[in-house]
Amino acid sequence: MAFPDVQLSKRPLHFIYLCDCSGSMQANGKMQALNQAIRQSLPGMAEVARQNPEAKVLVRAVSFAHQARWHVAEPTPVDQLQSSWVDLQAEGLTAMGEALRLVAGVLRTPPMEQRALPPVLVLISDGAPTDDFEDGLRTLMREPWAQKAVRLAIAVGHDADLDTLQQFIGAEPSSAAVPPVAMPPVAGLAAGGDRLPGEPVPRSGRRPLQASNATSLAQYIQWASTAVVGAASMPVSQVGIPSTAESNVPLPDLPPTVIGQVVW
Amino acid sequence: MSALLPVGTTLQFQGVSGPVTVVRLLGGGGQGQVYEAVYAKERVALKWYFPRCIAKDLGLEQRLRECIRATSPNQSFLWPMALLSLPFETASRLSIPPESFGYMMALRPADYVGVHEHVGGHLQISVRNVLRACFFLAEAFHELHLKGLCYKDISLGNLFLQPQSGRILICDNDNVDVDGRDLGCAVGTPGFMAPEVLLGRMKPGASSDQFSLAVLMFRLLTRHDPLKGKLELQIRCLDEPARRRLYGEDPVFIFDANDERNRPDPLDHAAALLTWPIYPAHLQALFQQTLGAGMKDPSRRVYTGQWKTGLARTLDQRRLCPDCGQEVFRDLEQASLCWACGGPLNPAPRFHTARGSVAAQPDNELHPHHFDPLASERIDMPLAIVEAHPVKAALLGLKNLSDETWTAELENGESSPVEPGQRCNLSLLVRLRTSLGSIELIR
Ligand SMILES: Nc1ncnc2c1ncn2[C@@H]1O[C@H](COP(=O)(O)OP(=O)(O)O)[C@@H](O)[C@H]1O
Ligand SMILES: [Mg+2]
């Protein structure tokens, strides 16, 4: 006498981390902070996946140092990843271009499914590419699934190459010459940091997210793995004019966050 | 997630007379955060808005004030009870923007789960309780619409379900508005929004609520999306522009009575093909009307009152397949086949009253609307319920849930009183006499 054991067929949502594991990530505990941030974000991501009857969230990760390689090669359901995540290790150069080529290879059909939700690509870096980034990006962006993907970038610390990260995200739809995102203020209050008092905080995932400390890194990873996964997979309440054609996935607001201590 | 309000402290808000203790953060969404709190020794919930939400939604405070004044349409809503703000000094001491506000509402009990648990197949629930949940939904929006209000954002996200009873709770009532006024900015959730709203041609209101309600009930009853058929399979990347096409520009109901372009695919849409035949034709027809003629023409959509009638009637038709035990909802007077095992179903024993016909099957109930022509359908105050004998399960009895003594007339011509709380053995019964009217047992 139970409801039949059936459910809505799910479309895969491929979520891919591209993690900078160059030597500089060793400094000031950045590598550990990234591993922690990813681990900590997994339960929330699993919850969002569960709440969405229409999506099967599958996670992979690429690490890049003197070469790029798959850190998690199999598209892994997020609840399984919680027990199987192996920490990333920092060493060597920054083969970011090669990482993009690696991802391009899996966004082709096959191995990519015929039908899916928009993939989410999250590029995390603390420096500048040491290989041919332009070629990597061209290869990636030739894939229709890469064009459809939500591409986010997180700059760790102050030495990240923001122009490169912006190229990965793509040009901003409205104004091109806006500064990168500083830490959002405490619940809308004017915050300190490097902004002038009263200056509005640019808030958009369409620019590199600058994580100047471990807390903000964790918050951005959390945001990408919950709010953005939600937006890419499950329609959310809309306000104003429906479906303004700003992009193919409406990005959620960045979270109101707390400014922690600068640790690197 | 960091809390906007200081957890563990007791605050004196403006808007309520006594102190409020903020106990813990329950969750946060797009607009704000929800806390468990204690007010006047009672556990309550407290929603506190992000300043950016207040800045964007200028009608929010007025809508909330009017909601609070209008009071809850019925018990299915977690309705705002009081608007809360902080005195300037308290706000500045706690570094909370002084223009912030929130509201107090009832706390959702722990045995209510988000309906996505059911739609995602994570829940054990009977078809009866899914139908009951749909009835309570239709009833809730019926009462809301009768007050001249509209909800605007009906979707899976704002609905909670008690699986053991089918009872529901609707949260996020801050978009509720006077129908037709449009003092607000919510337009709805893609996939639930009426096409004319999704395309930006109309503002959301009661008639777009009727559309969203049909979509939500279809999703609960079938665990499938009413517009995801063959046309969905032509979409490679299901993103916003694709959803706009599927749900806005060329929306076709998968079981449209005339347009067959969007029929379910046997492999990808198996859930719809399995579950849709569970429901009787008169209920299917309500979906075909709202999602057929009503797709493009809002005036053709089924009203909440019609849904209540159709769902209550479906519940009355519920019986158990003698072969597989599944719940079947078919015409009681005709032979048919079980949707689950294909086994034959004979006409079923049923109760006839002045205004209804109810299958004599365990858990089925008689309600005031089965007797009184003026009573509108309600399913939460049964007058009688069918129960199996605790030892001999094949033996059924009708339990008197009213506070009057009934008289049972038996096959041997004798009669016997049935006191409140007693069960009357159906195997000997001809009819029951009650002050509301007689209950005939038809075999
Ligand atoms: N009355 C309540 N009792 C318990 N939990 C609630 C209540 N109202 C909302 N919640 C929970 O709080 C969270 C956010 O609520 P919601 O009102 O949907 O926020 P938003 O509108 O910002 O998305 C959700 O997880 C919801 O389940
Ligand atoms: Mg909500």
Side-chain angles (χ1 to χ4, degrees):
Chain A
M1 255 201 3
F3 197 90
D5 185 18
V6 292
Q7 54 176 290
L8 193 62
S9 55
K10 292 172 187 275
R11 281 181 180 240
L13 185 153
H14 291 286
F15 185 102
I16 305 179
Y17 279 119
L18 295 89
C19 303
D20 187 336
C21 291
S22 59
S24 57
M25 285 293 286
Q26 252 162 15
N28 305 320
K30 280 186 273 188
M31 197 75 257
Q32 290 87 334
L34 178 59
N35 281 311
Q36 255 314 306
I38 292 178
R39 279 184 187 282
Q40 299 260 1
S41 72
L42 295 174
M45 193 181 197
E47 182 55 29
V48 171
R50 185 182 170 93
Q51 281 178 12
N52 184 350
E54 291 163 70
K56 183 164 69 197
V57 180
L58 298 167
V59 185
R60 270 176 286 188
V62 172
S63 66
F64 53 94
H66 51 256
Q67 64 181 54
R69 57 182 192 83
W70 284 105
H71 183 67
V72 178
E74 273 304 302
T76 308
V78 50
D79 48 335
Q80 287 173 30
L81 198 64
Q82 290 187 66
S83 55
S84 64
W85 178 263
V86 175
D87 279 349
L88 297 154
Q89 305 291 337
E91 34 98 38
L93 300 171
T94 313
M96 194 186 286
E98 198 189 332
L100 300 186
R101 278 191 297 273
L102 213 52
V103 170
V106 301
L107 292 183
R108 227 160 270 151
T109 311
M112 184 74 190
E113 294 82 352
Q114 285 285 348
R115 288 183 291 272
L117 290 160
V120 179
L121 310 180
V122 184
L123 175 60
I124 303 156
S125 174
D126 76 333
T130 52
D131 66 347
D132 192 347
F133 170 81
E134 309 280 335
D135 176 69
L137 187 61
R138 265 194 309 273
T139 309
L140 177 69
M141 294 312 290
R142 270 199 292 270
E143 297 303 328
W145 280 113
Q147 294 161 20
K148 293 279 189 184
V150 181
R151 297 183 306 278
L152 303 174
I154 301 177
V156 182
H158 298 294
D159 299 328
D161 182 347
L162 297 174
D163 291 340
T164 304
L165 297 181
Q166 185 71 64
Q167 269 185 284
F168 169 73
I169 297 169
E172 253 225 289
S174 43
S175 51
V178 271
V181 181
M183 275 309 297
V186 181
L189 276 182
D194 36 30
R195 284 182 305 110
L196 296 171
E199 186 190 336
V201 186
R203 304 171 58 87
S204 161
R206 309 245 171 251
R207 275 168 250 134
L209 307 166
Q210 272 193 298
S212 55
N213 57 51
T215 311
S216 54
L217 177 62
Q219 280 162 339
Y220 286 135
I221 297 275
Q222 183 85 30
W223 175 75
S225 60
T226 54
V228 176
V229 167
S233 62
M234 161 170 61
V236 290
S237 296
Q238 292 190 352
V239 295
I241 309 123
S243 291
T244 40
E246 175 199 301
S247 71
N248 69 324
V249 174
L251 275 186
D253 286 343
L254 289 166
T257 43
V258 181
I259 298 181
Q261 291 298 305
V262 175
V263 294
W264 56 65
Chain B
M1 184 179 7
S2 49
L4 299 174
L5 294 177
V7 168
T9 59
T10 300
L11 298 171
Q12 184 61 61
F13 287 95
Q14 291 163 334
V16 287
S17 49
V20 178
T21 305
V22 182
V23 178
R24 64 192 172 103
L25 180 61
L26 292 173
Q31 299 172 295
Q33 297 179 336
V34 177
Y35 297 83
E36 182 182 332
V38 173
Y39 172 66
K41 294 193 178 140
E42 292 214 37
R43 295 169 68 208
V44 294
L46 200 158
K47 176 150 183 174
W48 196 256
Y49 291 102
F50 295 131
R52 68 175 138 81
C53 167
I54 296 173
K56 255 195 273 183
D57 185 355
L58 298 175
L60 177 60
E61 187 174 343
Q62 188 186 337
R63 289 198 314 275
L64 278 171
R65 281 189 195 288
E66 291 178 0
C67 272
I68 291 163
R69 201 173 320 130
T71 70
S72 185
N74 75 2
Q75 73 289 352
S76 292
F77 294 88
L78 292 166
W79 199 257
M81 301 188 298
L83 197 69
L84 303 176
S85 57
L86 285 166
F88 187 81
E89 312 80 66
T90 318
S92 12
R93 178 166 51 81
L94 297 168
S95 303
I96 295 169
E99 71 279 11
S100 307
F101 59 85
Y103 66 87
M104 189 185 281
M105 65 186 138
L107 187 67
R108 163 165 53 84
D111 57 348
Y112 280 77
V113 298
V115 282
H116 58 80
E117 291 286 312
H118 161 61
V119 176
H122 304 300
L123 211 64
Q124 282 282 332
I125 189 168
S126 61
V127 182
R128 171 181 189 255
N129 282 345
V130 179
L131 281 161
R132 281 171 64 85
C134 290
F135 180 90
F136 288 126
L137 257 179
E139 181 183 55
F141 288 106
H142 189 64
E143 299 301 325
L144 184 92
H145 287 169
L146 287 184
K147 281 185 163 231
L149 302 174
C150 61
Y151 186 84
K152 296 188 185 174
D153 193 11
I154 297 177
S155 77
L156 285 177
N158 301 328
L159 183 63
F160 298 91
L161 169 70
Q162 194 180 41
Q164 300 78 21
S165 69
R167 295 230 58 130
I168 57 150
L169 285 170
I170 299 161
C171 75
D172 238 350
N173 295 294
D174 46 17
N175 295 313
V176 169
D177 199 352
V178 174
D179 186 32
R181 181 176 63 178
D182 202 47
L183 180 69
C185 51
V187 288
T189 302
F192 293 88
M193 257 188 260
E196 74 276 10
V197 176
L198 181 66
L199 296 177
R201 294 184 184 142
M202 295 262 273
K203 300 288 184 190
S207 70
S208 59
D209 276 357
Q210 285 159 4
F211 182 90
S212 307
L213 177 67
V215 173
L216 180 55
M217 293 196 295
F218 187 90
R219 298 208 47 178
L220 297 178
L221 290 171
T222 66
R223 285 189 181 157
H224 189 79
D225 184 305
L227 301 185
K228 277 193 180 163
K230 292 211 170 82
L231 294 177
E232 183 238 347
L233 296 187
Q234 291 167 16
I235 297 170
R236 296 197 58 182
C237 181
L238 187 61
D239 55 6
E240 285 291 304
R243 286 203 171 89
R244 195 178 156 89
R245 255 177 289 133
L246 191 65
Y247 297 115
E249 287 159 8
D250 188 20
V252 183
F253 179 38
I254 56 173
F255 294 115
D256 189 280
N258 308 307
D259 188 340
E260 299 194 350
R261 281 183 300 147
N262 200 19
R263 285 287 183 261
D265 177 85
L267 284 178
D268 282 278
H269 309 126
L273 290 169
L274 183 77
T275 51
W276 176 248
I278 298 174
Y279 304 103
H282 68 86
L283 190 65
Q284 293 178 340
L286 298 183
F287 284 107
Q288 285 170 321
Q289 185 184 326
T290 301
L291 303 174
M295 187 73 87
K296 298 263 163 69
D297 180 354
S299 70
R300 304 283 298 277
R301 292 172 187 159
V302 169
Y303 286 99
T304 46
Q306 295 170 275
W307 281 114
K308 281 174 61 184
T309 305
L311 289 159
R313 192 174 144 207
T314 305
L315 283 165
D316 291 345
Q317 292 175 311
R318 173 184 167 277
R319 62 174 135 159
L320 305 180
C321 170
D323 289 335
C324 70
Q326 252 300 0
E327 297 170 291
V328 185
F329 303 84
R330 281 290 146 77
D331 196 326
L332 298 173
E333 290 160 40
Q334 281 168 26
S336 57
L337 299 176
C338 170
W339 63 267
C341 71
L345 296 162
N346 295 323
R350 56 207 177 268
F351 301 109
H352 268 202
T353 59
R355 297 258 301 148
S357 177
V358 178
Q361 295 274 317
D363 297 331
N364 285 4
E365 295 167 337
L366 290 168
H367 298 279
H369 67 260
H370 289 125
F371 301 92
D372 179 355
L374 296 177
S376 76
E377 294 86 0
R378 281 191 74 155
I379 60 168
D380 56 347
M381 295 191 309
L383 293 166
I385 182 168
V386 180
E387 287 186 354
H389 190 276
V391 183
K392 286 186 240 164
L395 206 60
L396 296 180
L398 186 69
K399 183 176 183 179
N400 180 355
L401 297 175
S402 78
D403 44 20
E404 297 176 342
T405 303
W406 295 345
T407 305
E409 294 180 14
L410 308 178
E411 278 175 343
N412 59 12
E414 288 176 12
S415 62
S416 122
V418 183
E419 304 289 342
Q422 284 188 326
R423 292 155 202 83
C424 166
N425 184 342
L426 296 190
S427 58
L428 305 170
L429 187 70
V430 176
R431 73 176 59 80
L432 279 157
R433 296 224 171 272
T434 82
S435 67
L436 296 162
S438 77
I439 305 169
E440 308 267 346
L441 180 60
I442 315 285
R443 288 169 213 278

